[in-house]
Amino acid sequence: MEVPILKQGPYLIASIQSALSDNDMVRLRDALVEQVGRFRSRGVIVDVTALDVMDSFATRTLRDLGRMIRLRGADTVIVGIQPEVAYTMVQLGLTLEDIATALDLEEGLALLERKTTAPGNETSSRGR
Amino acid sequence: MRRAPVDAERQQLHSTTSLGLASARNRERVLEETCIPIQSDGDIVGARQNGRGLAVQLGFSPSDLTLIATAISELARNILLYAKRGKIILKLVEQGETRGIIVTAHDKGPGIPDISRALEAGFSTSRSLGLGLPGVRRLMDEFEIVSDVGLGTIVTVKKWAK
């Protein structure tokens, strides 16, 4: 299952459309890490709204994705974690640790906007 | 190493869980049963979608359906990681007034030499997060494991519809 990656200005947006196997998830990670360089992107959004399960492997792969992209000089925001998925992750003790999350695509873009225009101010509150 | 005490403990875990399974079998009426072979990472997705599809018939809440699907995902991945292949058996059962789903993960892999250690949070012999079995145990209502070194592992978990 190929995940479409859209280029929108300085950002890449990957919208997961359906359940992904472990290999699909790893392919998505590698594709984004590569394309961030090819398109000189400053931020990446991964939309996981369509994922009904985020188990230990998916969580770890998304966390690795965010860290690899940071090493390439760009920011990552994971958006769209569903309430039941969030509940299960908490029960399992799974966390994305230092990787930013946002409610949906719109919030994710706003967050990237703030992160990439105000370097060194990444942990500031969602001033709105 | 405290080899002897650990072995004794394992024996005990093994025998009590076997007895527990045998007595439970007499009381549960199986409504539906599916067996899913696990031998590639695509099978993990298939198993959890199948499980969700079955469980939804029992009126589980959306949160419970996600817990069940995630537990199946972790169990199926354990099979691939440690035993390369095996199977997941999904059963819808009725026990008196309550209905539930029983998920059994079978493999003929190397077995777990130290079950109590494998059930400690944070312990893992593989490259996973070390949340495998303790995590699955937290997600479900009942958890049983039988493992013999060299013969394989059977993990049985149950979730009852409230």
Side-chain angles (χ1 to χ4, degrees):
Chain A
M1 185 65 61
E2 196 80 13
V3 176
I5 299 173
L6 302 172
K7 184 177 175 298
Q8 183 171 321
Y11 308 131
L12 294 178
I13 301 171
S15 294
I16 296 172
Q17 309 285 317
S18 64
L20 295 186
S21 72
D22 294 358
N23 286 333
D24 295 334
M25 197 65 105
V26 168
R27 269 199 294 274
L28 171 64
R29 181 197 68 195
D30 294 346
L32 283 171
V33 171
E34 186 267 323
Q35 289 186 26
V36 139
R38 196 193 322 159
F39 298 114
R40 309 190 76 78
S41 305
R42 290 158 62 198
V44 168
I45 289 182
V46 182
D47 187 347
V48 299
T49 306
L51 287 188
D52 68 336
V53 166
M54 274 181 53
D55 61 7
S56 55
F57 187 88
T59 306
R60 183 172 49 128
T61 308
L62 286 176
R63 207 168 50 210
D64 290 352
L65 180 159
R67 288 178 179 168
M68 289 162 76
I69 284 169
R70 182 174 305 138
L71 289 169
R72 303 270 281 149
D75 284 307
T76 300
V77 184
I78 309 293
V79 306
I81 295 178
Q82 294 303 293
E84 299 80 26
V85 173
Y87 174 72
T88 304
M89 286 175 68
V90 170
Q91 296 303 306
L92 269 175
L94 297 176
T95 138
L96 287 168
E97 289 175 25
D98 46 348
I99 309 304
T101 55
L103 183 65
D104 55 20
L105 192 53
E106 192 185 339
E107 291 281 341
L109 281 168
L111 182 59
L112 272 186
E113 212 55 63
R114 288 197 298 274
K115 275 170 162 283
T116 53
T117 51
N121 200 21
E122 290 179 2
T123 51
S124 68
S125 61
R126 324 161 106 211
R128 344 193 257 173
Chain B
M1 295 292 284
R2 42 192 282 269
R3 180 168 233 125
V6 164
D7 277 352
E9 206 174 346
R10 180 167 68 92
Q11 279 307 111
Q12 210 172 3
L13 260 172
H14 184 288
S15 58
T16 52
T17 52
S18 299
L19 280 173
L21 277 177
S23 60
R25 219 171 264 136
N26 296 332
R27 288 176 283 121
E28 286 156 0
R29 197 167 70 85
V30 177
L31 306 169
E32 201 169 334
E33 183 169 344
T34 316
C35 176
I36 301 138
I38 303 295
Q39 42 198 313
S40 76
D41 73 321
D43 297 332
I44 300 177
V45 178
R48 71 183 185 223
Q49 287 177 341
N50 218 311
R52 179 186 284 268
L54 276 180
V56 80
Q57 299 174 30
L58 300 187
F60 280 105
S61 70
S63 292
D64 278 348
L65 290 174
T66 304
L67 294 182
I68 292 163
T70 309
I72 294 171
S73 200
E74 298 289 343
L75 290 175
R77 183 169 296 101
N78 277 351
I79 291 176
L80 271 190
L81 280 178
Y82 296 102
K84 305 277 190 279
R85 62 183 57 223
K87 59 188 177 184
I88 296 274
I89 296 169
L90 303 168
K91 276 187 232 173
L92 292 188
V93 297
E94 193 172 53
Q95 193 186 94
E97 302 277 282
T98 43
R99 290 178 167 203
I101 185 165
I102 303 182
V103 180
T104 312
H106 285 258
D107 72 63
K108 295 192 168 85
I112 302 169
D114 189 343
I115 289 178
S116 30
R117 192 154 169 240
L119 291 176
E120 279 168 23
F123 173 79
S124 173
T125 55
S126 184
R127 61 207 155 79
S128 68
L129 287 170
L131 294 161
L133 288 177
V136 170
R137 194 181 201 175
R138 273 201 300 278
L139 297 186
M140 303 294 276
D141 294 331
E142 293 179 40
F143 178 99
E144 289 164 326
I145 181 164
V146 178
S147 188
D148 282 304
V149 173
L151 293 175
T153 302
I154 301 174
V155 182
T156 306
V157 295
K158 302 179 190 179
K159 189 99 186 164
W160 300 105
K162 304 294 182 310

